[in-house]
Amino acid sequence: MARSASIYIMPMAGINHGPATVVSGRTLFKAMLLYVFVGYISLSSATGQEAQPFDTIVTELIYRDAYGINELYVKVTNPCNEELSRFDGPLTRIEAQVKSKEGSTAVAYEHPYAQMSLIHFVKEEIQIQDVGGRKAVVIPFYYCGGYESYDRKVSYILFYENKNYIFHLDYYCGEGEDCKPVQSLKVTLQGLPKDIRTYFARYLAKKHKSKVSFHQE
């Protein structure tokens, strides 16, 4: 049976602003410097990859379980921003890491279709559970657009037994708002250890019953 782990320190979240890239160079000839600069501007305009600042959301949790203190760090670069009507862009990325006395494990994912949809992250939906006597961290993240009315997509990062897993799940939601995974969860989750597989399958069945759970309305 899954039990909620005790939270040692409440989460801290912040938004930072910083340059995504820094371009610099030297040359002995001013003419060549001008040529390189103009070439860079032209290439940037053509590819849309010009240097620009990106918002980042950082969430940190420190929680305690039977094995001691664990530190969770999550960073999302260029997330969705409904207030600014920002739903797509040149890139969007999520990174997550857990540290404990047993070591650390980390995972990073850069969405390959950022020009269609950015990552939508809800820090309040992070789940920290005791599963089978071990810590388990469940981190959902969503996408803010670019899908048909019946299609929904959600991704999950899991940390369990000092290992990380990432899943990208497609759902079909019919007219009655009833949503079902496109692929059998039994097949999708077969690589997980038994305890976390059982817990996560039940979590998904309860969590994603309707369209609203995907934050894509």
Side-chain angles (χ1 to χ4, degrees):
M1 179 180 293
R3 298 181 291 108
S4 297
S6 59
I7 301 298
Y8 187 65
I9 297 179
M10 293 302 290
M12 299 174 290
I15 297 179
N16 303 320
H17 301 271
T21 57
V22 177
V23 179
S24 63
R26 287 186 176 182
T27 180
L28 298 176
F29 304 98
K30 292 184 178 180
M32 181 62 72
L33 176 61
L34 179 61
Y35 173 81
V36 172
F37 177 74
V38 171
Y40 168 73
I41 294 299
S42 299
L43 179 61
S44 298
S45 299
T47 62
Q49 297 294 323
E50 67 270 11
Q52 58 181 284
F54 291 117
D55 288 348
T56 61
I57 299 176
V58 174
T59 300
E60 296 178 84
L61 283 170
I62 300 177
Y63 62 96
R64 185 187 296 274
D65 64 11
Y67 298 88
I69 294 176
N70 305 276
E71 301 177 13
L72 171 66
Y73 173 87
V74 183
K75 177 182 178 182
V76 183
T77 301
N78 199 28
C80 294
N81 190 320
E82 294 182 0
E83 293 182 358
L84 299 178
S85 297
R86 183 187 300 147
F87 305 112
D88 52 37
L91 66 86
T92 187
R93 176 184 174 91
I94 184 169
E95 307 163 50
Q97 181 181 46
V98 168
K99 292 182 180 180
S100 70
K101 67 178 183 180
E102 296 180 337
S104 66
T105 180
V107 62
Y109 172 71
E110 185 167 320
H111 185 43
Y113 306 111
Q115 293 182 346
M116 293 177 59
S117 176
L118 300 179
I119 288 173
H120 178 63
F121 178 65
V122 183
K123 65 182 180 66
E124 291 81 7
E125 293 192 12
I126 295 174
Q127 297 288 315
I128 301 173
Q129 300 287 335
D130 288 335
V131 179
R134 301 300 302 264
K135 67 182 184 295
V137 179
V138 179
I139 306 171
F141 59 97
Y142 306 90
Y143 304 90
C144 54
Y147 300 95
E148 298 296 333
S149 59
Y150 295 120
D151 297 329
R152 293 293 182 270
K153 185 179 182 67
V154 61
S155 298
Y156 280 89
I157 293 172
L158 305 183
F159 290 106
Y160 187 65
E161 294 185 328
N162 206 35
K163 295 180 180 179
N164 66 73
Y165 307 86
I166 187 166
F167 296 95
H168 305 292
L169 307 176
D170 294 310
Y171 279 74
Y172 179 83
C173 299
E175 294 182 359
E177 296 282 321
D178 187 24
C179 298
K180 301 291 184 182
V182 173
Q183 185 178 35
S184 167
L185 291 179
K186 183 177 181 180
V187 175
T188 303
L189 308 180
Q190 62 185 348
L192 288 173
K194 181 180 178 181
D195 287 335
I196 185 64
R197 182 174 70 244
T198 301
Y199 164 76
F200 190 44
R202 291 174 178 171
Y203 166 93
L204 292 173
K206 182 178 180 180
K207 172 73 174 177
H208 298 300
K209 291 182 177 181
S210 63
K211 291 181 180 180
V212 69
S213 68
F214 298 94
H215 302 283
Q216 292 174 359
E217 296 298 327

